[in-house]
Amino acid sequence: GQNIDQPTEMTATEGAIVQINCTYQTSGFNGLFWYQQHAGEAPTFLSYNVLDGLEEKGRFSSFLSRSKGYSYLLLKELQMKDSASYLCAVIGNYGQNFVFGPGTRLSVLP
Amino acid sequence: GAVVSQHPSRVICKSGTSVKIECRSLDFQATTMFWYRQFPKQSLMLMATSNEGSKATYEQGVEKDKFLINHASLTLSTLTVTSAHPEDSSFYICSAMQRSQNSPLHFGNGTRLTVT
């Protein structure tokens, strides 16, 4: 089975940096994804990690440690439009079981 | 970029009727499609994994006779909610995966189902 955990809610200030953590326990692992979802909309892809280390993409970075079953999404220079839910998802063996964590609702305050 | 089209975006139906939701990959072949359900302020809950040409694999607690999934081609999967009840009202989202195993999921825009 798969168990994925994230903080439920986070609050940060515009212009600041925020780190959203994700821990997972899975029977197989073929990569971890981060998605952003605004209320009432479909998720949009942010990042993908399959090897240990940091992947940087503009204001967003994602880190993975497979030995620790841990990932984080780092958002820099926060903007109001970054207020959304952030979902980590783990894909199991052979591309099956693409399971999402509970999501973290981020509120960016002025 | 890869596009997934989901239709309809919104549907209202009466209790006891059936509703079909379509999910199409427009510019790539999707060997695997996933169906999710999402209740307000909750994450996406995987309902079933659909592989082209074979029976869908349902998650625990999801009734396969109530949520019929058909993946007849590499570009189309359908979810039929049979004998819908008000508790089936939810946001249903499909996603498709390209042949490359570790490519990201591409999501449809979702279907808001309201059963009255």
Side-chain angles (χ1 to χ4, degrees), chain B residues 4-116:
Chain B
V4 174
S5 174
Q6 185 173 343
H7 179 80
S9 58
R10 290 180 180 272
V11 59
I12 300 173
C13 70
K14 292 186 177 181
S15 187
T17 61
S18 296
V19 174
K20 179 184 283 188
I21 303 170
E22 290 188 351
C23 182
R24 295 180 184 272
S25 56
L26 298 184
D27 55 358
F28 66 97
Q29 292 184 326
T31 53
T32 304
M33 288 187 172
F34 301 91
W35 287 94
Y36 296 87
R37 180 168 51 183
Q38 187 175 36
F39 293 105
K41 297 187 177 181
Q42 295 186 20
S43 187
L44 287 81
M45 298 301 298
L46 180 63
M47 298 176 67
T49 302
S50 170
N51 292 300
E52 186 265 339
S54 63
K55 290 184 179 180
T57 303
Y58 290 81
E59 295 299 302
Q60 191 173 7
V62 179
E63 299 174 57
K64 63 180 181 180
D65 294 330
K66 180 170 183 58
F67 299 99
L68 301 178
I69 292 173
N70 184 283
H71 193 163
S73 76
L74 285 171
T75 59
L76 173 65
S77 177
T78 60
L79 168 68
T80 301
V81 183
T82 62
S83 188
H85 290 283
E87 55 265 32
D88 298 325
S89 298
S90 186
F91 190 51
Y92 292 86
I93 306 177
C94 73
S95 63
M97 177 179 289
Q98 295 177 257
R99 285 188 179 276
S100 172
Q101 180 178 317
N102 294 327
S103 60
L105 279 188
H106 304 286
F107 284 87
N109 286 330
T111 298
R112 176 75 58 192
L113 171 64
T114 303
V115 184
T116 61

Side-chain angles (χ1 to χ4, degrees), chain A residues 6 9-10 12 18-19 32 34 38-40 43 49-50 54-55 65 68 71 75 77 80 82-83 89 91 99 106:
Chain A
Q6 301 177 236
E9 294 189 29
M10 298 184 71
V18 70
Q19 177 175 312
L32 184 144
W34 283 95
H38 287 97
N49 295 72
V50 65
L54 187 68
E55 294 283 340
S65 169
K68 295 182 179 179
S71 173
L75 292 79
E77 303 170 15
M80 300 297 289
D82 296 330
S83 294
I91 189 164
V99 180
L106 173 65

